[in-house]
Amino acid sequence: MSLHQLELSQFIAGFWRLDSWNRSPSETLALIEHYLSLGVTSMDHADIYGEYSCEALFGKALSLNSSLREQMQIISKCGIKPAFPSTKDRYVNHYDTSYQHIITSAENSLSALNIDYLDLLLIHRPDPLMNADEVAQAFEQLYQTGKVRHFGVSNFTPAQFDLLQSRLEHPLITNQLEISPMQLSTLHDGTLDHCQQYRCPPMAWSCLGGGEIFTGTSAKAVRLRETLTQVAKAHDTDDISQIIYAWVLALPSQPKPIIGSGNLDRISAAVASKQITLDKQQWFSIWQASTGHSVP
Ligand code: NAP
């Protein structure tokens, strides 16, 4: 694997929840412009976010000022086929990483987003029926036709990543992973070590546990809120989300957090957290609050 040409911004804008924000196209454009003004140029989508409806809302907003397209990197994902609502043809949630589905999904995303090319396409989830040669064929076709410029994966183990990489001409440029004080698996199962080994920065989803860190009543969420509040005080902020992002940014695999908020002030606060550096004991106090025990 070699150095990757696509430069994603340090923070990434997540649009999973866009269709729940009830924004007009001009309000969505204002949100996009807010992100760009903060240096957040990478926009994360997926075919299944509202079954292309989030991509379509984004595309409508972008068409109000299409010159912004060249200032951003647009990411989409494919491979999950939800059966909701259930139909005769689709009656069980499943994965599909066949050649035809990857091509069709990418083309549908381009049409919903109303753009000519995706900067980055990810396989959304590892598929036990994935034939790596077939995925490689689909990626090559999308690359050769200029529809997708770069490729990556999401939620892949190192072995799944290496398998797919072994069949590709071009380097996979990221593995999009759940990384949060609420979810430590990738810190300890070799996944982030693999990202560091290949200098392939992961994208980090649900850093705030999808909001659960603020509202959850589990012992873990309660412990985390208490510890995060103490660490926040030491950094002269009362916004624990900033401490969470600083905790993620401290990882040596250099994750790029995907911001999931629809609130402009929270988005600004998230990006400002790059100014905060946690010392090792602050970092481990958050780890300890998550696991419920000290390091061995
Ligand atoms: P998140 O940042 O963990 O959660 C965002 C949620 O937390 C929003 O509903 C937000 O509400 C709420 N929130 C933020 N600050 C809050 C506060 N101070 N108090 C209470 N609630 C607060 O991220 P996420 O949305 O779950 O995921 C981020 C992005 O990652 C998604 O948009 C998507 O692009 C990507 N993703 C990828 C995968 C994958 O499998 N690859 C899976 C899930 C997500 P407000 O809007 O009101 O701020």
Side-chain angles (χ1 to χ4, degrees), residues 14 16-17 44 49 154-155 176 205-206 208-210 214 261-262 266:
W16 172 26
R17 303 172 191 272
D44 188 66
Y49 296 167
S154 180
N155 304 301
Q176 187 177 121
W205 60 265
S206 291
L208 310 180
F214 305 100
S261 177
R266 286 178 181 166

Side-chain angles (χ1 to χ4, degrees), residues 5-6 69-70 72 74 116-121 139 142-144 146-151 170-171 173:
Q5 298 156 327
L6 179 65
R69 167 66 184 102
E70 292 308 315
M72 58 177 72
I74 301 186
D116 299 329
Y117 67 92
L118 291 169
D119 294 275
L120 177 59
L121 178 68
F139 281 6
L142 289 167
Y143 181 78
Q144 291 300 338
K147 291 177 180 169
V148 181
R149 295 190 172 175
H150 300 272
F151 300 91
H170 307 282
I173 73 141

Side-chain angles (χ1 to χ4, degrees), residues 12-18 20-21 43-46 49 77 80 122-125 153-155 176-178 180 203-215 239-241 245 257-264 266-267:
I12 290 169
F15 289 96
W16 172 26
R17 303 172 191 272
L18 178 57
S20 67
W21 295 333
M43 311 286 160
D44 188 66
H45 292 274
Y49 296 167
K77 316 183 200 78
I80 304 179
L122 311 180
I123 300 295
H124 207 150
R125 291 256 168 200
V153 293
S154 180
N155 304 301
Q176 187 177 121
L177 302 165
E178 184 174 14
S180 156
M203 295 166 68
W205 60 265
S206 291
C207 297
L208 310 180
E212 200 194 336
I213 286 188
F214 305 100
T215 53
D239 183 347
I240 64 171
S241 77
Y245 286 119
I258 312 175
I259 300 169
S261 177
N263 176 307
L264 299 192
R266 286 178 181 166
I267 290 168

Side-chain angles (χ1 to χ4, degrees), residues 250-284:
L251 290 161
S253 53
Q254 301 181 354
K256 294 173 179 290
I258 312 175
I259 300 169
S261 177
N263 176 307
L264 299 192
D265 292 336
R266 286 178 181 166
I267 290 168
S268 302
V271 176
S273 64
K274 64 184 171 201
Q275 308 297 344
I276 298 174
T277 304
L278 303 184
D279 66 34
K280 281 193 194 297
Q281 295 197 65
Q282 290 169 337
W283 194 92
F284 275 101

